[in-house]
Structure formats: C-alpha cells, structure tokens
C-alpha cells in the first residue's frame, strides 16, 4: 500500500509539473517564472530552497549527534542567508531585470568576471544537487525494504524531477513548491505529534535533550572550536548568497516588494520549521534507545525513515514519506535548474549571441539534461553524508563569488581588476590550504580564502589598473529581456 502511494504521488507530481510547463513560452518563463509569482508562492518557494534532503535527514541526524552547535550552518546560517539575500536581491538586483547572477557580473565588471564567477557557482551545485537525488534514492530504498537499491532509487528519483524541470523550469518548480508546502508542514507536524505522545509529550523530549546538552549552542572549547563554529556559520550564511537558485526564487516575484517580503517570510518559516525534523529524530532515540543510538553511529541518515517505518501506522507512513518526497523534490527541481540556466546564459550565450529565444530555450533544456547526468554520476559514486555534501558546496562561492557580488553592489570604487584579484586569490588560497593542510589549519580554509578575497578586492581596486572593463555599465539600467 505504501509503495503504491509513493508511485501515485510521483506520477501526480510529474503530471502537475508537466501541465504547468504548458505555460512556459520563453526563456524568462523558464528561468524566473516570467516574474509573475505572488507573495504566497514566493514564500513557499523560498522556504523550499533548502528544506530538502539536508534539512530532513542531514540536519536532524547532525543535531542528534552534536546538538545545536553542530547545526549552526543550517538552519541558523541558512535562514539568515535567505533573509539577507531577499533584502539584497529585492532592493539591488530586481530592477535590473536579469536572468542570472552572471548577468550582474557582466554588467558591473566584464565578460571574464562573468565566466569566472559563473563557473564557481556551477561547481558548487554538483555536491548540492547530488545530495538531493541521493536522498530520493535513500527514501525509495527504505520504502521498498531494499527491493529498490539506493542507487536505483537515485536514478528513478532523478528521472522524475528531471522530467518536469526540463519542460516547466522555474514555473513548474515554484507551483509544485506551493502545492507541496502544505504536505511538508502538515506531514511532519503530524509525525512530531505522534512521536511526542510516545515519549510523554513534547516537553519531556525537550527536557531530555536539554539535560543531555543537546541545546547548548556556543562552543565550550578553545579558539579552534570557535573558529570552526564561525567558519561553518559564515560559509552557509554568506557563501549561499551568490547562488543562482536563491536568486531565481527571489527574483521570480511579481514585484520587488513581493520579493523582499516573500523572502523574509520564507526564511523565517524555514528557520522555525527545521526544528521539527530535529525534534522527531531526537525523540526516536528515546523510543528505542538501543536500536536508534546504534543506527546513529553507523548511518544516522536512516533514523527518521526507520522510526516511521517500524513504529508508525501505515497512514502516518504515507503522510511522512509523502512529505519527505515533497521536500526533496521541491529542492531538487530548482537546484537542478539553477546551474543549467547559469551555464546557458553566461557561458554558452557568449558563443552564440544572436540565437533566437526559442532556440535558446531548447538549449537551456538540453543543458538541464546534461547537468542532471553529471550530478547523477557524482551522487552514485560519492560516499559523503548528505549534510557534508551540502555544507561543502558553499565554500567555493564564499571564496570566489560573494566578495565581487557585494562589493560590486555597494562599493563604487570596486573595479574589474579588483574582482579578478579577489576571485583568484580567494579560490587559490582556499584550495592550497585545503589540499596541503586541511583540517589541521589554524583557521578553517574557507575563512582564510574569504579573507584573501576581501583583501584582493580592496587592493586590486585601489592599485593602478592593469585590467579594464570591456563594457562596464552602472547597474541601474535594465538590459533587454
């Protein structure tokens, strides 16, 4: 019965996505939903930005093992990122009427900076999207009791998401986010209510977590722990801002005001609701301490699905797995779309500048299929935990794209040369320390790279200019659609 429920759910989701795809007529519809989304849909799609595999499986498992200080990156850094990005994109970039962040870099600096930052953004998505499709495989394997292997489930899940994303783009993703948000919130709250009843109420679970030290937030060790804590927070909070999927979700709003308010609401709901799977996962360890504490040591990502599968009635199982699939598919669609749009718009278009809009739309769809193949290959070969795959994804955008983005928007003295030095020094120093020193570095490697990117921007902009912009424009005009 549960398997049939999942099959029907996947078919309905794909059907809705394909139906919405009939309203996609041009690249603007495909990339930013025609800039037509109302406040409720923007709120839902911003919330769905990260409420996927890492929030349900990764963050909850990390909380059970390390407590609140272990999840400083997500939800604390992630929710702040959504709020900051909404304010920034809604007030600074929305009026530019651009499709991608790479367009901003081209307008503000030049074609070279556009390509470099776009490559940083695209590479960051490989691990991020892989985590989502890997989680789909995990869910399908658990539901079928291993009849479908995690690898086969990954392929099936990726194929479903790819189908409606390739045709419907951001419009399909946003509408499904809105429809699935109710299933996500209602389903997980229902499971939380059941599991709290199994442990004497929510207050008893929270009290037990507090006694176990799981609610301690700040590090109690020396400087090295504080640096790791700050590094994880900053990486997610700032490194996630120059991300194409966040940009697309915010700028798909029908107005700048809707973009700002939708992001504020979506980020706030995300922060509050991410504590629900954390609560459920911790409560699971109280339901059957021997089984679930052993599971935490071997594969903590299975805590939630195993709790539901072995301790919940079939109706609760159907609701839970429906909610989980909703969450993961919502995140997967937009994160698969984002790098594909960025690659098409900011890399490929430079070689075919006179291509028609319809031909370019086909190109975006083909790129989406190609990127899905790359992501699927990476997911099938990677053994990294879901939470780590997501957390590591934003290091490259922190050191390579954040500084040129924010300085380009707020510092009039920033130059193309400064942006180039910032990108090269940030990425090079981060990779050098990551490879040669790794975890033994006195500071997290990405923080050192971030520091060098800031110094590179300031020094490169103030020193005599050797690199001139090719067609720099003040970012207050709107390029053609």
């Amino acid at each position: 019965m549960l398997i049939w429920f999942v099959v029907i759910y996947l078919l309905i989701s794909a059907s809705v996505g394909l139906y919405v795809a009939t309203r996609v007529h041009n690249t603007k519809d495909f990339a930013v939903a025609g800039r037509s989304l109302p406040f409720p849909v923007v709120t839902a799609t911003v919330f769905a930005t990260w409420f996927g595999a890492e929030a349900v499986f990764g963050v909850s498992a990390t909380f059970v093992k390390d407590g609140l200080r272990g999840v400083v990156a997500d939800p604390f850094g992630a929710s702040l990122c959504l709020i900051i990005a909404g304010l920034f994109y809604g007030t600074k970039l929305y009026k530019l009427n651009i499709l991608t962040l790479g367009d901003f870099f081209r307008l503000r600096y030049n074609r070279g900076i556009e390509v470099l930052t776009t490559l940083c953004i695209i590479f960051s998505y490989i691990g991020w999207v892989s985590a989502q499709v890997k989680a789909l495989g995990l869910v399908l394997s658990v539901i079928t009791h291993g009849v479908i292997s995690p690898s086969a489930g990954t392929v099936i899940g990726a194929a479903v998401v790819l189908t409606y994303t390739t045709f419907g783009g951001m419009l399909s993703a946003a509408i499904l986010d809105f429809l699935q948000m109710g299933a996500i919130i209602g389903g997980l709250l229902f499971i939380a209510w059941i599991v709290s009843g199994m442990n004497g109420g929510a207050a008893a679970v929270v009290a037990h977590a507090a006694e176990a030290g799981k609610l301690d937030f700040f590090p109690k060790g020396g400087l090295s722990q504080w640096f790791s804590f700050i590094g994880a927070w900053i990486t997610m909070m700032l490194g996630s801002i120059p991300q194409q999927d966040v940009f697309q979700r915010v700028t798909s709003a029908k107005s700048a005001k809707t973009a700002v308010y939708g992001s504020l609401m979506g980020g706030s709901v995300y922060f509050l609701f991410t504590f629900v799977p954390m609560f459920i996962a911790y409560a699971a360890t109280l339901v059957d301490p021997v089984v679930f504490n052993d599971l935490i040591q071997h594969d903590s990502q299975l805590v939630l699905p195993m709790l539901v599968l072995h301790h919940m009635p079939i109706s609760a199982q159907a609701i839970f797995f429906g909610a989980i699939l909703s969450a993961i598919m919502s995140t997967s669609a937009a994160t698969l779309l984002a790098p594909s749009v960025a690659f098409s718009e900011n890399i490929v278009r430079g070689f075919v500048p006179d291509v028609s809009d319809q031909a370019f739309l086909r190109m975006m769809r083909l790129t989406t299929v190609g990127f899905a193949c790359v992501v699927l290959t990476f997911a099938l070969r990677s053994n990294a935990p879901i939470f780590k795959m997501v957390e590591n994804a934003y290091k490259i955008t922190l050191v390579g794209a954040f500084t040129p983005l924010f300085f380009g928007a707020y510092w009039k003295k920033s130059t193309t040369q400064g942006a180039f030095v910032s990108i090269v020094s940030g990425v090079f120093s981060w990779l050098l320390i990551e490879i040669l020193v790794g975890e033994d570095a006195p500071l997290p490697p990405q923080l050192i790279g971030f520091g060098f990117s800031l110094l590179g921007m300031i020094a490169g902009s103030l020193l005599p200019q050797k690199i001139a912009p090719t067609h720099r424009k003040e970012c207050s005009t709107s390029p053609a659609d």
Side-chain angles (χ1 to χ4, degrees), residues 99-293:
L99 293 182
T100 66
L101 283 172
D103 291 343
F104 169 80
F105 290 114
R106 183 182 67 251
L107 292 173
R108 183 62 176 82
Y109 302 111
N110 66 7
R111 166 71 175 162
I113 302 302
E114 172 193 15
V115 171
L116 287 175
T117 51
T118 298
L119 290 175
C120 288
I121 292 170
I122 290 172
F123 281 126
S124 73
Y125 275 100
I126 295 177
W128 169 238
V129 187
S130 297
Q132 309 308 313
V133 296
K134 189 174 182 179
L136 285 172
L138 175 68
V139 171
L140 293 176
S141 179
V142 169
I143 291 172
T144 60
H145 300 280
V147 174
I148 296 178
S149 68
S151 298
T154 298
V155 175
I156 293 171
V160 173
V161 174
L162 176 63
T163 299
Y164 67 78
T165 304
T166 300
F167 291 98
M170 188 62 210
L171 189 59
S172 286
I175 297 302
L176 279 171
D177 287 346
F178 178 69
L179 296 176
Q180 292 169 338
M181 187 177 180
I184 296 168
I185 294 178
L188 289 179
L189 286 176
F190 180 65
I191 298 300
W193 176 69
I194 292 178
V195 77
S196 66
M198 298 167 67
N199 290 285
V205 176
V206 174
H208 192 283
E211 291 176 6
K214 299 298 181 181
L215 303 186
D216 296 338
F217 183 61
F218 295 105
K220 294 183 178 179
L223 284 177
S224 61
Q225 290 191 22
W226 272 97
F227 284 139
S228 297
F229 179 82
I230 294 171
W233 196 338
I234 288 179
T235 299
M236 197 72 173
M237 181 174 63
L238 301 185
S240 305
I241 291 176
Q243 287 288 336
Q244 178 63 22
D245 64 315
V246 179
F247 172 81
Q248 284 179 202
R249 291 176 187 270
V250 174
T251 55
S252 294
K254 64 180 183 180
S255 68
K257 184 177 180 180
T258 301
V260 172
Y261 289 137
S263 299
L264 292 175
M265 181 61 72
S268 300
V269 173
Y270 175 82
F271 175 75
L272 295 173
F273 198 72
T274 307
F275 286 94
V276 175
M278 283 191 261
F279 172 85
I280 298 172
Y282 189 80
T285 64
L286 306 182
V287 172
D288 194 337
V290 175
V291 172
F292 286 107
N293 283 321

Side-chain angles (χ1 to χ4, degrees), residues 411 413-422 425 452-467:
W411 192 38
K413 292 184 179 180
S414 61
T415 65
T416 300
Q417 177 174 281
F420 178 78
V421 176
S422 173
S425 60
F452 272 96
S453 72
L454 292 173
L455 291 175
M457 170 59 79
I458 295 171
S461 297
L462 297 180
L463 289 174
Q465 301 298 294
K466 303 296 183 181
I467 302 176

Side-chain angles (χ1 to χ4, degrees), residues 342-429:
F343 181 81
S344 301
E345 171 73 7
N346 303 116
I347 305 295
V348 178
R349 187 186 278 276
F351 298 99
V352 285
D354 298 324
V355 66
S356 68
D357 189 76
Q358 288 302 308
F360 193 62
L361 178 58
R362 289 193 295 272
M363 189 185 302
M364 281 186 174
R365 285 170 168 160
L366 288 173
T367 303
T368 303
V369 175
F371 189 77
C373 293
V374 173
V375 163
L376 187 58
T377 302
F378 184 84
L380 293 175
R381 295 189 175 187
S382 175
N383 294 318
I386 291 171
F387 186 76
K388 282 297 178 185
M389 291 175 74
V390 172
E391 191 177 21
N392 291 333
Y394 300 113
K395 292 180 179 179
I396 187 171
T397 44
L398 175 68
V399 302
F402 175 81
T403 300
L405 177 64
F406 262 67
F407 274 66
Y410 291 107
W411 192 38
K412 291 183 178 181
K413 292 184 179 180
S414 61
T415 65
T416 300
Q417 177 174 281
F420 178 78
V421 176
S422 173
I423 296 167
V424 173
S425 60
V427 172
F428 180 77
S429 60

